[in-house]
Amino acid sequence: MAASSGDDSRRPNPLPTALVSNLQSVLAARRPPPTEDASVAAAAAETSAPAAADDGPAKPVVLLTCAGGIQSPGLAALVDALVKGGRCDVHVCAPESDKPVCGHSITIRETVSATSSVDFTGAKAFEISGTPVDCISLSLSGRLFAWSAPALVISGINAGPNCGYEMFHSSAIAAAREALMYGVPSIAISLNWKNDETKDSDFKDAAGLCLPLIHAALADIEKGTFLSGCLLNIGVPSSPSANKGFKLTKQSIYSPAQSWQAVSSSRPAPAAHFMGMHQSLGIQLAQLGKDASAAV
């Protein structure tokens, strides 16, 4: 400590007396306890240590959505698998109804309703009236959930494949892509659905099949080694219980041709009705009959 001159010692203290007294009281309170109390303090610290260890670090948050809607069996199977896996905290925001092939469409200048009445055991869920992309955008805005951002976003499990150029039309892929645009790692999971062959119970098998991949992705995210700037698109084949493993592939150039079917005999003058035939055959025929009967 530097010695002070006689002049300095005679100078009045510029700090108020009450403030000096408060500072002295605080410093006195921060002094170590007397020697005889050291053993008691150590014992108290040992007693409280296990309770702090039991709390552990917070689990990473995983946000789920599904183009098939809030009631889709694929979403229910994935929620159930993740909750039982216990590796993460699960939150859900999905459309109130099926929203297939709507791409990266969003809702603007219209009201989007959000309802929290959906019951998922072990997961907080909202259903909204918008698109799958709206679900992700609204969730990441901070308006629905208390967290600032999830560790991972998963879109799935969706019914039907998402391969090649179909990804440009797929609302399932668009939801995962929206998360990527926010800087959040994302995964899209789709089950190859075959009419009269695939069953709703296959979603449960697909969820169990993908669970190790999801846990591995979470581990890489926590370590900071998950591939940035890309989303992971997982295609599960039909009969997932017979799956022999996974293979990393490139995006195909498959592009299903869009054809058009006239549903009325009218010519384009003054008006005519056409239907895109990029749907399953059953839906095509049912819609064709409906439109043809309604056509003038």
Side-chain angles (χ1 to χ4, degrees), residues 51-95:
D54 290 341
D55 293 339
K59 295 179 182 179
V61 172
V62 174
L63 172 65
L64 303 184
T65 193
C66 187
I70 195 73
Q71 301 293 340
S72 64
L75 177 61
L78 189 56
V79 170
D80 186 60
L82 288 173
V83 169
K84 289 181 179 178
R87 179 67 173 78
C88 57
D89 285 334
V90 182
H91 293 72
V92 179
C93 184

Side-chain angles (χ1 to χ4, degrees), residues 3 6 46 48 57 82 86 125 148 156 165 225 230 263 267-268 277 284:
E46 291 178 359
S48 60
L82 288 173
S148 57
Y165 293 157
T225 58
C230 296
V263 295
R267 292 292 181 180
M277 302 297 286
Q284 292 173 16

Side-chain angles (χ1 to χ4, degrees), residues 60 87 150-153 184-187 214-227:
R87 179 67 173 78
L152 176 67
V153 166
V184 179
S186 59
I187 298 175
I214 297 172
H215 288 172
L218 286 172
D220 284 349
I221 291 169
E222 291 172 337
K223 292 184 294 185
T225 58
F226 189 82
L227 188 62

